[in-house]
């Protein structure tokens, strides 16, 4: 056998053993990631000068693995964990983005931050020192460093392509090109590394190049992308449960990782559907197609030529909100801008889905530690006027009791005859009543990605993301 072929086989065998050793080192310390770390099929390729993953395979450049291990075993262990956390948080399963280069950076920052927080000596690579100042600045701006929040932060701040490139040098550990490859299977082959870093748009197949053979081989694995994503969804949930139970000591130390997993798997509800819980059936003057009998109608028209036997009903039961309370926490810890956006969001949902009854009784109550204002609205025009002139008052402490006492007093004074419910927009930093009121109650929170407020057992809870407002 040719000596070069033997040397290549020996090098590939050694690289694979090094990767397995790096994985096993992580397994000793991170038992909550055992299934995730063992998920990859290690596959040597020439497409990349580092490592890459599509969620199913860990592709690696043999020369790169040997060189990095020579520089320090911590580097390769950190790289392996870096790629695993990408999949745990579904970073490779991207769709169309405004800026893929920025998304790549934010994914790298997020996982490197989580690795750094673990404090493991076995992954203490030299690049961690170069990241410290950048991570410190981000933590002062964001409560949770996950890829989505970092992406939105940089997008809103208008980060330049030059700055993105500079930051990537400090955080880059793997090749993300494979995340954006789409295509069908093609003949296998060994390509030569070109060093090209050309990005392809999501949902767009790759084009021919010097690396097209390896591209074709990798693209052949993308048919199972949805299945792979579902498998990583389960692995991610398993890691979350393990962190909260058997490995809860890790959960306390790895706060950012734990909170990011909780935020990722938090159950989401559509706010429009949620509001319908407070609707009551109301007779509306409207043709009810469900009650219309076409057989008798047709028979009458044939028998009497122009006289149908049965006319359609002129009313229909439509669920609408007739009596309702919107309570707004105006304490100093709640953003006034977000409050206004919440009220506008609620109004737009009610208006667009015909939830307004012809004559309604809606009270919008502002309260911090005491009642600040109560605006009664009986028709859409009054709601329009309120939004145009809305001002907030209070900005003190938070206490939820005054609102419930005030609403109970309104009920005793016959201001409400059939109150359907109350929704309370708040940050949750206050004292809840211990006794349930005589109407449905929901506390609405803004998702900061970090906290998961607890509410009394008699209340409903909904967490909205800022982009939903």
């Amino acid at each position: 056998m040719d000596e070069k072929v033997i040397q290549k086989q020996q090098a590939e065998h050694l690289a694979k053993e090094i990767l397995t050793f790096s994985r096993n080192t992580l397994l000793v310390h991170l038992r909550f990631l055992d299934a995730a770390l063992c998920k990859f099929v290690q596959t040597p390729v020439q497409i990349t000068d580092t490592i890459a993953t599509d969620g199913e395979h860990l592709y690696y450049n043999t020369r790169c693995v040997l060189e990095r291990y020579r520089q320090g075993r911590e580097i390769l262990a950190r790289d392996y964990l870096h790629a695993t956390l990408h999949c745990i948080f579904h970073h490779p399963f991207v769709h169309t983005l405004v800026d893929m280069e920025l998304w790549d950076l934010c994914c790298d920052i997020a996982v490197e931050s989580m690795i750094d927080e673990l404090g493991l000596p076995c992954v203490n690579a030299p690049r961690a020192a170069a990241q410290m100042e950048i991570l410190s600045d981000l933590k002062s701006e964001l409560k949770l460093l996950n890829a989505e929040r970092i992406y939105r932060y940089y997008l809103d701040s208008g980060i330049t392509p030059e700055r993105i490139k500079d930051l990537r040098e400090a955080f880059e550990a793997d090749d993300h090109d494979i995340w954006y490859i789409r295509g069908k299977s093609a003949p296998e082959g060994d390509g030569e590394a070109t060093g090209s870093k050309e990005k392809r748009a999501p949902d767009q197949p790759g084009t021919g190049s010097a690396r097209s053979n390896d591209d074709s081989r990798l693209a052949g694995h993308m048919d199972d992308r949805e299945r792979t994503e579902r498998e990583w969804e389960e692995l991610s949930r398993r890691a979350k449960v393990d962190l909260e139970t058997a490995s809860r000591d890790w959960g306390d130390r790895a706060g950012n990782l734990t909170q990011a997993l909780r935020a990722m798997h938090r159950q989401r509800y559509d706010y429009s559907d949620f509001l319908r819980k407070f609707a009551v059936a109301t007779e509306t003057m409207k043709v009810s197609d469900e009650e219309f009998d076409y057989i008798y109608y047709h028979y009458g028209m044939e028998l009497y030529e122009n006289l149908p036997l049965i006319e359609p009903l002129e009313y229909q039961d439509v669920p609408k909100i007739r009596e309702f309370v919107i309570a707004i926490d105006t304490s100093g810890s709640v953003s006034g801008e977000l409050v206004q956006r919440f009220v506008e969001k609620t109004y737009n949902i009610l208006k667009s889905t015909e939830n307004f009854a012809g004559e309604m009784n809606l009270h919008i109550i502002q309260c911090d530690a005491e009642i600040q204002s109560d605006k009664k609205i009986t028709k859409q025009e009054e709601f329009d006027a309120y939004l145009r002139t809305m001002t907030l008052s209070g900005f003190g402490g938070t206490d939820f009791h005054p609102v419930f006492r005030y609403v109970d007093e309104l009920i005793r004074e016959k201001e409400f005859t059939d109150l359907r419910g109350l929704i309370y927009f708040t940050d949750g930093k206050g004292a809840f009543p211990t006794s349930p009121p005589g109407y449905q109650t929901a506390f609405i929170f803004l998702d900061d990605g970090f906290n998961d407020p607890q509410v009394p057992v008699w209340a409903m809870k909904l967490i909205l993301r800022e982009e939903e407002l």
Side-chain angles (χ1 to χ4, degrees):
M1 185 178 293
D2 187 88
E3 184 177 350
K4 288 185 178 181
V5 174
I6 295 175
Q7 290 177 349
K8 181 181 177 182
Q9 292 176 345
Q10 290 176 339
E12 288 184 354
H13 177 73
L14 181 58
K16 196 163 191 174
E17 285 195 337
I18 289 173
L19 284 172
T20 302
F21 173 75
S22 299
R23 181 200 65 191
N24 293 343
T25 300
L26 295 171
L27 283 171
V28 171
H29 299 282
L30 304 172
R31 298 303 300 175
F32 60 91
L33 289 178
D34 54 358
L37 290 167
C38 295
K39 168 75 170 128
F40 298 128
V41 177
Q42 298 171 10
T43 309
V45 293
Q46 295 296 318
I47 185 176
T48 179
D49 55 4
T50 176
I51 63 173
T53 183
D54 59 359
E56 191 72 28
H57 298 74
L58 184 71
Y59 301 105
Y60 63 90
N61 181 294
T62 299
R63 177 189 56 78
C64 170
V65 169
L66 298 178
E67 177 63 24
R68 289 198 176 190
Y69 189 75
R70 187 186 66 80
Q71 294 173 0
R73 64 179 64 182
E74 296 85 1
I75 297 176
L76 209 57
R78 191 180 184 99
D79 291 348
Y80 202 110
L81 181 56
H82 180 109
T84 303
L85 289 178
H86 275 322
C87 295
I88 283 286
F89 289 99
H90 290 210
H91 296 163
F93 311 108
V94 293
H95 303 286
T96 301
L97 295 167
V98 175
D99 189 332
M100 287 183 293
E101 295 289 347
L102 178 57
W103 175 247
D104 287 343
L105 168 64
C106 296
C107 292
D108 284 338
I109 291 176
V111 298
E112 286 291 302
S113 171
M114 294 172 192
I115 294 172
D116 185 64
E117 195 177 50
L118 293 173
L120 289 175
C122 65
V123 293
N124 189 23
R127 68 174 182 263
Q131 300 168 359
M132 290 181 59
E133 184 177 354
I134 301 168
L135 291 176
S136 178
D137 291 342
L138 282 172
K139 288 176 181 178
S140 67
E141 297 290 337
L142 302 172
K143 291 183 178 180
L144 176 66
L145 294 187
N146 64 8
E148 293 78 11
R149 289 181 178 273
I150 300 171
Y151 180 82
R152 175 174 290 275
Y153 170 75
Y154 278 138
L155 204 61
D156 292 343
S157 64
I159 189 172
T160 64
E162 293 75 18
R163 179 59 175 162
I164 293 175
K165 184 177 180 181
D166 291 342
L167 291 176
R168 286 225 63 191
E169 291 181 1
F171 290 91
E172 187 175 14
D174 58 344
D175 190 343
H176 298 175
D177 281 6
I178 191 174
W179 296 2
Y180 309 107
I181 295 175
R182 299 288 190 273
K184 301 298 182 181
S185 58
E188 295 187 3
D190 287 328
E192 293 299 325
T194 66
S196 170
K197 300 296 290 182
E198 177 186 358
K199 277 284 186 289
R200 300 183 183 92
D203 303 315
Q204 184 178 18
T207 55
S209 68
R211 52 196 289 190
S212 60
N213 288 336
D214 264 344
D215 274 357
S216 298
R217 179 156 61 143
L218 300 184
H221 297 294
M222 304 309 286
D223 292 337
D224 296 328
R225 191 179 184 86
E226 291 184 3
R227 173 186 57 79
T228 302
E229 186 173 2
R230 289 194 298 270
E231 290 173 353
W232 277 104
E233 172 75 16
E234 180 57 34
L235 290 171
S236 181
R237 289 186 183 277
R238 172 174 171 172
K240 171 183 174 292
V241 172
D242 202 346
L243 271 173
E244 295 174 339
T245 54
S247 302
R248 56 182 175 271
D249 289 342
W250 264 119
D252 294 336
R253 285 182 284 168
N256 197 54
L257 173 60
T258 306
Q259 295 299 336
L261 284 170
R262 287 173 180 169
M264 178 180 175
H265 295 291
R266 183 174 291 151
Q267 193 169 9
R268 306 290 183 187
Y269 295 97
D270 183 83
Y271 187 38
S272 302
D273 293 337
F274 188 79
L275 279 181
R276 295 191 184 101
K277 294 178 181 290
F278 302 96
V280 60
T282 303
E283 281 191 359
T284 302
M285 295 299 293
K286 180 179 181 180
V287 172
S288 177
D289 294 330
E290 294 178 357
E291 302 291 338
F292 183 64
D293 193 326
Y294 286 95
I295 295 177
Y296 283 101
Y297 181 89
H298 182 69
Y299 176 72
M301 293 297 287
E302 282 191 343
L303 183 63
Y304 300 109
E305 295 186 354
N306 62 352
L307 181 64
L309 290 179
I310 296 177
E311 291 287 351
L313 298 176
E314 296 182 346
Y315 64 87
Q316 183 177 9
D317 284 343
V318 177
K320 292 190 174 184
I321 295 176
R322 183 179 293 277
E323 293 192 338
F324 197 55
V325 174
I326 299 175
I328 301 170
D329 180 0
T330 58
S331 61
S333 58
V334 178
S335 166
E337 179 186 357
L338 291 176
V339 167
Q340 289 184 308
R341 283 159 55 183
F342 167 73
V343 176
E344 290 175 2
K345 173 76 172 181
T346 304
Y347 168 72
N348 289 331
I349 291 175
L350 293 175
K351 183 179 178 181
S352 63
T353 57
E354 296 185 351
N355 275 326
F356 276 120
E359 286 294 329
M360 68 180 309
N361 184 12
L362 170 66
H363 284 251
I364 302 178
I365 302 171
Q366 296 186 25
C367 179
D368 49 11
E370 59 184 32
I371 301 296
Q372 296 295 333
S373 67
D374 175 17
K375 175 63 177 178
K376 179 178 179 179
I377 293 174
T378 60
K379 52 188 176 182
Q380 182 175 321
E381 292 76 10
E382 293 177 354
F383 212 148
D384 291 332
Y386 178 78
L387 287 176
R388 288 194 300 269
T389 60
M390 180 181 176
T391 57
L392 301 179
S393 56
F395 313 110
T398 305
D399 189 352
F400 301 126
H401 294 84
V403 167
F404 291 95
R405 288 196 295 263
Y406 179 73
V407 172
D408 288 342
E409 182 62 27
L410 291 178
I411 293 175
R412 286 192 292 269
E413 294 175 356
K414 307 300 182 182
E415 172 62 25
F416 294 114
T417 57
D418 185 24
L419 178 60
R420 295 299 299 172
L422 178 151
I423 58 174
Y424 208 134
F425 183 71
T426 177
D427 61 359
K429 299 175 182 177
F432 294 94
T434 55
S435 301
Y439 42 85
Q440 295 185 87
T441 301
F443 289 92
I444 312 295
F445 304 97
L446 187 67
D447 184 8
D448 63 2
F450 195 78
N451 295 315
D452 187 11
Q454 300 301 308
V455 301
V457 294
W458 46 264
M460 293 178 283
K461 177 177 70 173
L462 179 67
I463 299 178
L464 295 177
R465 289 169 291 182
E466 186 173 345
E467 54 266 30
E468 292 181 79
L469 298 182

